[in-house]
mmCIF file of all heavy atoms in Angstrom:
data_model
loop_
_atom_site.group_PDB
_atom_site.id
_atom_site.type_symbol
_atom_site.label_atom_id
_atom_site.label_comp_id
_atom_site.label_asym_id
_atom_site.label_seq_id
_atom_site.Cartn_x
_atom_site.Cartn_y
_atom_site.Cartn_z
ATOM 1 N N GLU A 133 87.473 91.871 89.042
ATOM 2 C CA GLU A 133 86.162 92.368 88.647
ATOM 3 C C GLU A 133 85.139 92.195 89.764
ATOM 4 O O GLU A 133 84.297 93.070 89.993
ATOM 5 C CB GLU A 133 85.691 91.647 87.381
ATOM 6 C CG GLU A 133 86.516 91.984 86.146
ATOM 7 C CD GLU A 133 85.937 91.328 84.902
ATOM 8 O OE1 GLU A 133 84.857 90.712 85.016
ATOM 9 O OE2 GLU A 133 86.560 91.442 83.838
ATOM 10 N N ILE A 134 85.215 91.075 90.431
ATOM 11 C CA ILE A 134 84.288 90.824 91.528
ATOM 12 C C ILE A 134 84.533 91.821 92.655
ATOM 13 O O ILE A 134 83.592 92.301 93.294
ATOM 14 C CB ILE A 134 84.435 89.380 92.052
ATOM 15 C CG1 ILE A 134 84.007 88.385 90.974
ATOM 16 C CG2 ILE A 134 83.617 89.183 93.320
ATOM 17 C CD1 ILE A 134 82.554 88.508 90.572
ATOM 18 N N ARG A 135 85.792 92.167 92.879
ATOM 19 C CA ARG A 135 86.104 93.119 93.943
ATOM 20 C C ARG A 135 85.439 94.464 93.676
ATOM 21 O O ARG A 135 84.967 95.126 94.615
ATOM 22 C CB ARG A 135 87.616 93.295 94.077
ATOM 23 C CG ARG A 135 87.997 94.194 95.250
ATOM 24 C CD ARG A 135 89.501 94.389 95.363
ATOM 25 N NE ARG A 135 89.819 95.242 96.497
ATOM 26 C CZ ARG A 135 89.976 94.826 97.753
ATOM 27 N NH1 ARG A 135 89.850 93.533 98.032
ATOM 28 N NH2 ARG A 135 90.260 95.674 98.719
ATOM 29 N N GLU A 136 85.385 94.877 92.406
ATOM 30 C CA GLU A 136 84.724 96.145 92.076
ATOM 31 C C GLU A 136 83.240 96.087 92.432
ATOM 32 O O GLU A 136 82.675 97.052 92.971
ATOM 33 C CB GLU A 136 84.906 96.456 90.586
ATOM 34 C CG GLU A 136 86.328 96.811 90.193
ATOM 35 C CD GLU A 136 86.433 97.160 88.724
ATOM 36 O OE1 GLU A 136 85.371 97.284 88.063
ATOM 37 O OE2 GLU A 136 87.568 97.306 88.235
ATOM 38 N N ALA A 137 82.604 94.966 92.137
ATOM 39 C CA ALA A 137 81.188 94.816 92.456
ATOM 40 C C ALA A 137 80.977 94.782 93.962
ATOM 41 O O ALA A 137 80.015 95.370 94.486
ATOM 42 C CB ALA A 137 80.632 93.546 91.819
ATOM 43 N N VAL A 138 81.866 94.108 94.687
ATOM 44 C CA VAL A 138 81.765 94.064 96.145
ATOM 45 C C VAL A 138 81.943 95.462 96.734
ATOM 46 O O VAL A 138 81.220 95.853 97.658
ATOM 47 C CB VAL A 138 82.811 93.093 96.728
ATOM 48 C CG1 VAL A 138 82.877 93.230 98.253
ATOM 49 C CG2 VAL A 138 82.469 91.658 96.346
ATOM 50 N N ALA A 139 82.888 96.222 96.207
ATOM 51 C CA ALA A 139 83.102 97.589 96.687
ATOM 52 C C ALA A 139 81.846 98.431 96.470
ATOM 53 O O ALA A 139 81.478 99.257 97.322
ATOM 54 C CB ALA A 139 84.297 98.212 95.971
ATOM 55 N N GLU A 140 81.171 98.227 95.342
ATOM 56 C CA GLU A 140 79.933 98.949 95.056
ATOM 57 C C GLU A 140 78.842 98.556 96.058
ATOM 58 O O GLU A 140 78.096 99.412 96.552
ATOM 59 C CB GLU A 140 79.472 98.655 93.633
ATOM 60 C CG GLU A 140 78.129 99.257 93.263
ATOM 61 C CD GLU A 140 78.112 100.774 93.277
ATOM 62 O OE1 GLU A 140 79.215 101.377 93.225
ATOM 63 O OE2 GLU A 140 77.018 101.359 93.345
ATOM 64 N N ILE A 141 78.735 97.277 96.363
ATOM 65 C CA ILE A 141 77.762 96.810 97.343
ATOM 66 C C ILE A 141 78.029 97.451 98.702
ATOM 67 O O ILE A 141 77.111 97.955 99.362
ATOM 68 C CB ILE A 141 77.807 95.278 97.457
ATOM 69 C CG1 ILE A 141 77.262 94.638 96.172
ATOM 70 C CG2 ILE A 141 77.020 94.781 98.679
ATOM 71 C CD1 ILE A 141 77.503 93.144 96.079
ATOM 72 N N CYS A 142 79.288 97.449 99.123
ATOM 73 C CA CYS A 142 79.643 98.023 100.424
ATOM 74 C C CYS A 142 79.343 99.512 100.461
ATOM 75 O O CYS A 142 78.897 100.043 101.491
ATOM 76 C CB CYS A 142 81.119 97.762 100.716
ATOM 77 S SG CYS A 142 81.527 96.010 100.954
ATOM 78 N N HIS A 143 79.573 100.189 99.344
ATOM 79 C CA HIS A 143 79.283 101.621 99.275
ATOM 80 C C HIS A 143 77.779 101.873 99.362
ATOM 81 O O HIS A 143 77.332 102.748 100.097
ATOM 82 C CB HIS A 143 79.838 102.194 97.967
ATOM 83 C CG HIS A 143 79.459 103.629 97.741
ATOM 84 N ND1 HIS A 143 79.990 104.664 98.483
ATOM 85 C CD2 HIS A 143 78.580 104.199 96.873
ATOM 86 C CE1 HIS A 143 79.467 105.814 98.077
ATOM 87 N NE2 HIS A 143 78.614 105.555 97.099
ATOM 88 N N ARG A 144 77.003 101.106 98.622
ATOM 89 C CA ARG A 144 75.546 101.283 98.626
ATOM 90 C C ARG A 144 74.942 101.007 99.999
ATOM 91 O O ARG A 144 73.927 101.599 100.372
ATOM 92 C CB ARG A 144 74.897 100.357 97.598
ATOM 93 C CG ARG A 144 75.044 100.809 96.154
ATOM 94 C CD ARG A 144 74.462 99.762 95.216
ATOM 95 N NE ARG A 144 74.519 100.199 93.835
ATOM 96 C CZ ARG A 144 73.497 100.708 93.178
ATOM 97 N NH1 ARG A 144 72.335 100.858 93.786
ATOM 98 N NH2 ARG A 144 73.628 101.070 91.914
ATOM 99 N N LEU A 145 75.582 100.120 100.758
ATOM 100 C CA LEU A 145 75.067 99.751 102.074
ATOM 101 C C LEU A 145 75.768 100.521 103.188
ATOM 102 O O LEU A 145 75.607 100.201 104.370
ATOM 103 C CB LEU A 145 75.198 98.244 102.284
ATOM 104 C CG LEU A 145 74.390 97.393 101.294
ATOM 105 C CD1 LEU A 145 74.613 95.911 101.547
ATOM 106 C CD2 LEU A 145 72.902 97.739 101.388
ATOM 107 N N ASP A 146 76.551 101.537 102.816
ATOM 108 C CA ASP A 146 77.126 102.487 103.774
ATOM 109 C C ASP A 146 78.043 101.850 104.812
ATOM 110 O O ASP A 146 78.244 102.402 105.895
ATOM 111 C CB ASP A 146 76.004 103.249 104.492
ATOM 112 C CG ASP A 146 75.016 103.867 103.514
ATOM 113 O OD1 ASP A 146 75.442 104.674 102.682
ATOM 114 O OD2 ASP A 146 73.828 103.504 103.575
ATOM 115 N N GLY A 147 78.574 100.668 104.504
ATOM 116 C CA GLY A 147 79.506 100.034 105.432
ATOM 117 C C GLY A 147 78.881 99.567 106.727
ATOM 118 O O GLY A 147 79.570 99.379 107.733
ATOM 119 N N ILE A 148 77.561 99.344 106.726
ATOM 120 C CA ILE A 148 76.863 98.907 107.943
ATOM 121 C C ILE A 148 76.938 97.376 108.045
ATOM 122 O O ILE A 148 76.455 96.662 107.161
ATOM 123 C CB ILE A 148 75.393 99.361 107.919
ATOM 124 C CG1 ILE A 148 75.319 100.879 107.780
ATOM 125 C CG2 ILE A 148 74.676 98.894 109.182
ATOM 126 C CD1 ILE A 148 76.002 101.646 108.878
ATOM 127 N N PRO A 149 77.534 96.849 109.124
ATOM 128 C CA PRO A 149 77.747 95.399 109.216
ATOM 129 C C PRO A 149 76.499 94.548 109.008
ATOM 130 O O PRO A 149 76.544 93.556 108.268
ATOM 131 C CB PRO A 149 78.313 95.232 110.633
ATOM 132 C CG PRO A 149 79.028 96.521 110.896
ATOM 133 C CD PRO A 149 78.161 97.565 110.255
ATOM 134 N N LEU A 150 75.387 94.883 109.650
ATOM 135 C CA LEU A 150 74.183 94.061 109.504
ATOM 136 C C LEU A 150 73.712 94.029 108.056
ATOM 137 O O LEU A 150 73.361 92.961 107.532
ATOM 138 C CB LEU A 150 73.060 94.580 110.400
ATOM 139 C CG LEU A 150 71.738 93.824 110.292
ATOM 140 C CD1 LEU A 150 71.911 92.345 110.632
ATOM 141 C CD2 LEU A 150 70.672 94.457 111.193
ATOM 142 N N ALA A 151 73.724 95.171 107.385
ATOM 143 C CA ALA A 151 73.300 95.218 105.984
ATOM 144 C C ALA A 151 74.235 94.382 105.115
ATOM 145 O O ALA A 151 73.786 93.670 104.198
ATOM 146 C CB ALA A 151 73.268 96.665 105.490
ATOM 147 N N LEU A 152 75.524 94.431 105.390
ATOM 148 C CA LEU A 152 76.490 93.640 104.623
ATOM 149 C C LEU A 152 76.276 92.147 104.833
ATOM 150 O O LEU A 152 76.374 91.346 103.894
ATOM 151 C CB LEU A 152 77.918 94.030 105.024
ATOM 152 C CG LEU A 152 78.341 95.459 104.683
ATOM 153 C CD1 LEU A 152 79.695 95.775 105.307
ATOM 154 C CD2 LEU A 152 78.390 95.663 103.171
ATOM 155 N N GLU A 153 75.963 91.762 106.069
ATOM 156 C CA GLU A 153 75.730 90.348 106.345
ATOM 157 C C GLU A 153 74.457 89.855 105.656
ATOM 158 O O GLU A 153 74.425 88.737 105.126
ATOM 159 C CB GLU A 153 75.652 90.129 107.855
ATOM 160 C CG GLU A 153 76.983 90.356 108.552
ATOM 161 C CD GLU A 153 76.936 89.995 110.023
ATOM 162 O OE1 GLU A 153 75.846 89.626 110.504
ATOM 163 O OE2 GLU A 153 77.991 90.070 110.680
ATOM 164 N N LEU A 154 73.419 90.690 105.653
ATOM 165 C CA LEU A 154 72.191 90.317 104.951
ATOM 166 C C LEU A 154 72.452 90.170 103.454
ATOM 167 O O LEU A 154 71.938 89.258 102.802
ATOM 168 C CB LEU A 154 71.112 91.374 105.194
ATOM 169 C CG LEU A 154 70.524 91.446 106.609
ATOM 170 C CD1 LEU A 154 69.611 92.660 106.739
ATOM 171 C CD2 LEU A 154 69.761 90.173 106.946
ATOM 172 N N ALA A 155 73.251 91.091 102.906
ATOM 173 C CA ALA A 155 73.551 91.036 101.475
ATOM 174 C C ALA A 155 74.382 89.811 101.114
ATOM 175 O O ALA A 155 74.164 89.174 100.078
ATOM 176 C CB ALA A 155 74.291 92.311 101.052
ATOM 177 N N ALA A 156 75.327 89.463 101.974
ATOM 178 C CA ALA A 156 76.224 88.341 101.676
ATOM 179 C C ALA A 156 75.464 87.030 101.536
ATOM 180 O O ALA A 156 75.870 86.149 100.767
ATOM 181 C CB ALA A 156 77.291 88.223 102.763
ATOM 182 N N THR A 157 74.341 86.891 102.244
ATOM 183 C CA THR A 157 73.578 85.643 102.131
ATOM 184 C C THR A 157 72.936 85.495 100.753
ATOM 185 O O THR A 157 72.499 84.399 100.386
ATOM 186 C CB THR A 157 72.460 85.577 103.197
ATOM 187 O OG1 THR A 157 71.508 86.628 102.971
ATOM 188 C CG2 THR A 157 73.039 85.722 104.595
ATOM 189 N N ARG A 158 72.873 86.576 99.989
ATOM 190 C CA ARG A 158 72.259 86.528 98.653
ATOM 191 C C ARG A 158 73.242 86.131 97.552
ATOM 192 O O ARG A 158 72.844 85.903 96.415
ATOM 193 C CB ARG A 158 71.676 87.898 98.307
ATOM 194 C CG ARG A 158 70.425 88.271 99.095
ATOM 195 C CD ARG A 158 69.302 87.323 98.796
ATOM 196 N NE ARG A 158 68.010 87.846 99.218
ATOM 197 C CZ ARG A 158 66.874 87.193 99.096
ATOM 198 N NH1 ARG A 158 66.880 85.980 98.564
ATOM 199 N NH2 ARG A 158 65.737 87.730 99.496
ATOM 200 N N VAL A 159 74.528 86.076 97.878
ATOM 201 C CA VAL A 159 75.534 85.781 96.852
ATOM 202 C C VAL A 159 75.307 84.403 96.252
ATOM 203 O O VAL A 159 75.458 84.202 95.033
ATOM 204 C CB VAL A 159 76.950 85.899 97.454
ATOM 205 C CG1 VAL A 159 77.999 85.358 96.470
ATOM 206 C CG2 VAL A 159 77.254 87.347 97.798
ATOM 207 N N ARG A 160 74.937 83.433 97.063
ATOM 208 C CA ARG A 160 74.734 82.072 96.564
ATOM 209 C C ARG A 160 73.665 82.013 95.493
ATOM 210 O O ARG A 160 73.787 81.279 94.499
ATOM 211 C CB ARG A 160 74.374 81.133 97.721
ATOM 212 C CG ARG A 160 74.255 79.671 97.301
ATOM 213 C CD ARG A 160 74.070 78.745 98.499
ATOM 214 N NE ARG A 160 72.827 79.006 99.214
ATOM 215 C CZ ARG A 160 72.759 79.617 100.388
ATOM 216 N NH1 ARG A 160 73.857 80.045 100.981
ATOM 217 N NH2 ARG A 160 71.600 79.818 100.985
ATOM 218 N N GLY A 161 72.601 82.818 95.639
ATOM 219 C CA GLY A 161 71.499 82.762 94.689
ATOM 220 C C GLY A 161 71.577 83.761 93.561
ATOM 221 O O GLY A 161 71.052 83.511 92.469
ATOM 222 N N LEU A 162 72.235 84.905 93.801
ATOM 223 C CA LEU A 162 72.255 85.971 92.793
ATOM 224 C C LEU A 162 73.612 86.183 92.138
ATOM 225 O O LEU A 162 73.681 86.656 90.997
ATOM 226 C CB LEU A 162 71.819 87.300 93.432
ATOM 227 C CG LEU A 162 70.371 87.417 93.878
ATOM 228 C CD1 LEU A 162 70.146 88.743 94.609
ATOM 229 C CD2 LEU A 162 69.437 87.314 92.678
ATOM 230 N N GLY A 163 74.674 85.840 92.857
ATOM 231 C CA GLY A 163 75.989 86.251 92.377
ATOM 232 C C GLY A 163 76.216 87.712 92.763
ATOM 233 O O GLY A 163 75.277 88.440 93.095
ATOM 234 N N VAL A 164 77.467 88.149 92.705
ATOM 235 C CA VAL A 164 77.806 89.480 93.204
ATOM 236 C C VAL A 164 77.317 90.584 92.280
ATOM 237 O O VAL A 164 76.747 91.589 92.728
ATOM 238 C CB VAL A 164 79.331 89.592 93.419
ATOM 239 C CG1 VAL A 164 79.708 91.023 93.794
ATOM 240 C CG2 VAL A 164 79.779 88.633 94.519
ATOM 241 N N ARG A 165 77.499 90.433 90.965
ATOM 242 C CA ARG A 165 77.116 91.500 90.032
ATOM 243 C C ARG A 165 75.605 91.732 90.043
ATOM 244 O O ARG A 165 75.139 92.872 90.057
ATOM 245 C CB ARG A 165 77.597 91.163 88.621
ATOM 246 C CG ARG A 165 79.117 91.132 88.470
ATOM 247 C CD ARG A 165 79.511 90.956 87.003
ATOM 248 N NE ARG A 165 80.944 90.797 86.846
ATOM 249 C CZ ARG A 165 81.587 89.631 86.911
ATOM 250 N NH1 ARG A 165 80.902 88.513 87.138
ATOM 251 N NH2 ARG A 165 82.893 89.568 86.743
ATOM 252 N N GLU A 166 74.840 90.663 90.028
ATOM 253 C CA GLU A 166 73.384 90.805 90.050
ATOM 254 C C GLU A 166 72.916 91.383 91.378
ATOM 255 O O GLU A 166 71.967 92.184 91.423
ATOM 256 C CB GLU A 166 72.722 89.457 89.800
ATOM 257 C CG GLU A 166 71.205 89.501 89.710
ATOM 258 C CD GLU A 166 70.702 90.301 88.510
ATOM 259 O OE1 GLU A 166 71.497 90.552 87.573
ATOM 260 O OE2 GLU A 166 69.506 90.665 88.518
ATOM 261 N N LEU A 167 73.572 90.985 92.450
ATOM 262 C CA LEU A 167 73.242 91.538 93.757
ATOM 263 C C LEU A 167 73.461 93.046 93.767
ATOM 264 O O LEU A 167 72.601 93.806 94.236
ATOM 265 C CB LEU A 167 74.099 90.875 94.843
ATOM 266 C CG LEU A 167 73.994 91.474 96.252
ATOM 267 C CD1 LEU A 167 72.568 91.387 96.781
ATOM 268 C CD2 LEU A 167 74.960 90.751 97.192
ATOM 269 N N ALA A 168 74.593 93.492 93.252
ATOM 270 C CA ALA A 168 74.882 94.925 93.212
ATOM 271 C C ALA A 168 73.824 95.671 92.406
ATOM 272 O O ALA A 168 73.374 96.751 92.799
ATOM 273 C CB ALA A 168 76.271 95.159 92.617
#
Side-chain angles (χ1 to χ4, degrees):
E133 292 184 5
I134 294 297
R135 185 181 180 86
E136 291 182 9
V138 170
E140 175 64 19
I141 291 169
C142 294
H143 174 71
R144 284 176 177 260
L145 298 178
D146 308 301
I148 302 301
L150 178 59
L152 295 172
E153 292 186 357
L154 290 172
T157 64
R158 289 297 196 182
V159 170
R160 185 173 63 254
L162 292 174
V164 174
R165 294 187 185 88
E166 184 65 17
L167 173 60

